[in-house]
Amino acid sequence: MAAPRVLAIVLAGGEGKRLMPLTTDRAKPAVPFGGIYRLIDFALSNLVNSNFLRIVVLTQYKSHSLDKHIAKTWRMSNLLGNYVAPVPAQQRVGKNWFLGSADAIYQSLNLLDDERPDIVVVVGADNIYRMDFSQMVEQHIDSGFPLTVAGIRQPLSMADQFGVIQADKDNPHKIAEFLEKPTDAVGLVDSPDEVLASMGNYVMDADALIEAVSSDAKDASSKHDMGGSIVPAFVADGAAGLYDFTFNDVPGSTDRDRNYWRDVGTVDAYYDANQDLISVYPVFNLYNDEWPLFTGYTGLPPAKFVYGNRERLGHALDSLISPGVIISGGEVVGSVLSPGTRVNSWSSVRDSVLFDGVQVGRNATVNRAILDKNVHVREGAQIGIDAEHDRARGFTVTDSGITVVPKGGVVDR
Ligand code: ADQ
């Protein structure tokens, strides 16, 4: 049998309300991550490494920086030529821009006419993980189900953020029940503190997808999203397969980071996922060149570490330091620094995430903070030391005490 034609659709239109203020003026998939990446790079790298090179990215909300990133990194790259195509919301019919992901696919069905795929891989753009989608497609074809949903175990306490799956008792590759973001989920029989969560990644027969989103579009009571409307309809028909992510084996994975998956839905989860990258034996290993993670080339010079002064040498430990960074007489520990940041003498940056172009002045202290693009911490100022003071200055402080300074913000004494 000829290999099936596969089209990948990346859903990149989410608002990311719970990531505010990081999503104030960028779409969630464009949020910087791990120093040099954007969230969407993980989904796109997974598709490319899986050898699925026909990719459309459905954009919508505040898509300017996302479009720019895709154009710079993915669309123009030698690797992909013109395969990765962002499809903006402007193509949509009607006034209802902010309908869900199923509507986004419906509005872009012309792409399926053009590409004529046999199978469509639909993936979210907001998760950090490595996954070989070809293994999921293989199971999808073998199973004969028109829809296959990828599942992973997650804490029961987070069930209300996910589609929660019950596998069929007799067939572990079939979904018996699916509830989108239930508030009363029950744990698994063999692990009461966990549920089986949908990863928001689907493999579908193209004709079944077209039929499903078309009939959903006619249903005025539908929320028009994949998890809330499309998946439950297939499950009700006994037509939904389950792909267990535990069995996904990506080349170069270690026992520690195999099957790592993080939904970075909230600022705290986003912060934790950054921290997952930096320990000596990280739970998510960026340094796996058998499954490379692609991103934009900045053209910046290497990171530089300068003495600064004799009492405190410029240094960084347990940290990711991007190109274009200069640490001059400052100390950086447990942090992720994006391109072009500057850390000046006698300053200290600890357990923090600094976006592009952040400036940390002399004698300043940054602790458990996320500093968005071009934030300026003035000489002698402190951030992340006194939550009340941070709130009083108008900064966001999360439940676990992470202070977020929005893009272009100035931190004074
Ligand atoms: P959520 O992520 O909460 O849950 P949703 O807001 O629909 O669901 O986002 C899914 C993906 O679609 C995201 O990548 C988002 O950016 C994108 N998206 C949303 N609306 C869009 C639109 N109109 N146009 C283009 N893209 C759009 C989903 C599933 C759950 C599952 C979690 C796992 O619904 O069942 O457990 O993902 O993270």
Side-chain angles (χ1 to χ4, degrees):
M1 201 180 90
R5 283 172 68 85
V6 176
L7 174 71
I9 296 181
V10 179
L11 299 168
E15 260 185 276
K17 278 203 199 95
R18 289 175 305 148
L19 266 190
M20 284 291 203
L22 304 177
T23 46
T24 306
D25 54 16
R26 56 170 86 83
K28 184 174 168 189
V31 170
F33 181 80
I36 58 172
Y37 307 96
R38 306 273 188 152
L39 293 183
I40 195 172
D41 292 334
F42 295 83
L44 289 173
S45 297
N46 285 330
L47 288 167
V48 170
N49 289 325
S50 304
N51 226 355
F52 296 146
L53 298 180
R54 289 169 196 282
I55 304 169
V56 291
V57 178
L58 302 187
T59 66
Q60 173 173 253
Y61 172 85
K62 292 178 180 164
S63 60
H64 177 66
S65 64
L66 181 61
D67 289 343
K68 240 173 52 184
H69 176 69
I70 292 169
K72 234 174 47 189
T73 306
W74 291 94
R75 198 168 158 73
M76 308 307 272
S77 69
N78 294 334
L79 180 73
L80 289 172
N82 278 335
Y83 282 123
V84 178
V87 181
Q90 279 82 343
Q91 288 197 349
R92 296 170 165 232
V93 292
K95 291 184 216 140
N96 295 327
W97 264 38
F98 290 96
L99 296 180
S101 50
D103 173 68
I105 296 173
Y106 175 68
Q107 301 293 351
S108 304
L109 279 183
N110 60 310
L111 299 166
L112 273 74
D113 282 344
D114 297 346
E115 293 287 340
R116 300 214 164 272
D118 304 306
I119 283 176
V120 184
V121 176
V122 179
V123 305
D126 312 335
N127 304 113
I128 307 298
Y129 63 119
R130 279 195 173 86
M131 178 168 178
D132 181 352
F133 290 113
S134 71
Q135 295 171 24
M136 183 174 170
V137 167
E138 213 169 284
Q139 183 192 300
H140 173 83
I141 293 169
D142 289 348
S143 76
F145 290 117
L147 162 73
T148 303
V149 180
I152 184 173
R153 288 179 179 222
Q154 290 288 289
L156 173 64
S157 57
M158 293 169 74
D160 61 354
Q161 299 177 31
F162 298 122
V164 172
I165 297 169
Q166 296 283 349
D168 189 275
K169 281 198 192 69
D170 303 318
N171 180 358
H173 294 322
K174 181 175 176 188
I175 299 181
E177 203 189 315
F178 183 96
L179 293 170
E180 180 71 353
K181 301 177 184 154
T183 48
D184 54 355
V186 181
L188 293 163
V189 176
D190 67 354
S191 178
D193 294 333
E194 290 185 311
V195 291
L196 190 58
S198 160
M199 297 165 70
N201 293 337
Y202 317 101
V203 176
M204 297 185 75
D205 293 350
D207 49 4
L209 173 65
I210 294 169
E211 157 68 28
V213 296
S214 305
S215 68
D216 174 73
K218 295 189 199 104
D219 178 358
S221 66
S222 169
K223 288 197 217 116
H224 306 297
D225 67 50
M226 291 296 294
S229 338
I230 305 297
V231 176
F234 278 88
V235 173
D237 289 346
L242 168 62
Y243 177 76
D244 185 344
F245 183 56
T246 318
F247 296 111
N248 199 263
D249 197 8
V250 165
S253 296
T254 61
D255 285 347
R256 202 179 296 265
D257 84 343
R258 184 165 295 122
N259 302 133
Y260 177 94
W261 180 83
R262 270 262 193 189
D263 181 61
V264 286
T266 62
V267 173
D268 281 331
Y270 170 85
Y271 175 85
D272 290 345
N274 272 281
Q275 292 294 319
D276 287 344
L277 305 174
I278 57 185
S279 51
V280 180
Y281 300 109
V283 284
F284 187 72
N285 175 24
L286 294 173
Y287 304 87
N288 171 3
D289 54 14
E290 291 180 55
W291 198 265
L293 299 165
F294 303 103
T295 190
Y297 169 64
T298 56
L300 289 167
K304 179 160 119 174
F305 299 80
V306 181
Y307 263 114
N309 60 80
R310 296 280 156 182
E311 294 141 58
R312 195 194 253 175
L313 313 181
H315 69 273
L317 292 167
D318 290 346
S319 296
L320 295 181
I321 308 297
S322 303
V325 171
I326 299 179
I327 299 175
S328 169
E331 164 192 81
V332 175
V333 180
S335 297
V336 176
L337 269 53
S338 295
T341 55
R342 295 276 183 284
V343 179
N344 290 306
S345 292
W346 299 288
S347 63
S348 159
V349 175
R350 281 194 169 253
D351 303 328
S352 294
V353 180
L354 274 49
F355 285 16
D356 290 49
V358 167
Q359 308 274 328
V360 179
R362 291 176 155 223
N363 283 307
T365 305
V366 178
N367 183 51
R368 285 170 56 77
I370 300 172
L371 309 183
D372 204 326
K373 191 172 173 180
N374 293 336
V375 162
H376 187 177
V377 183
R378 290 242 165 89
E379 189 166 340
Q382 297 195 330
I383 187 84
I385 299 292
D386 176 349
E388 280 319 303
H389 185 215
D390 290 350
R391 279 199 195 94
R393 291 184 285 180
F395 303 132
T396 305
V397 181
T398 67
D399 292 347
S400 65
I402 306 300
T403 301
V404 188
V405 181
K407 193 168 158 183
V410 174
V411 180
D412 275 314
R413 270 170 197 256

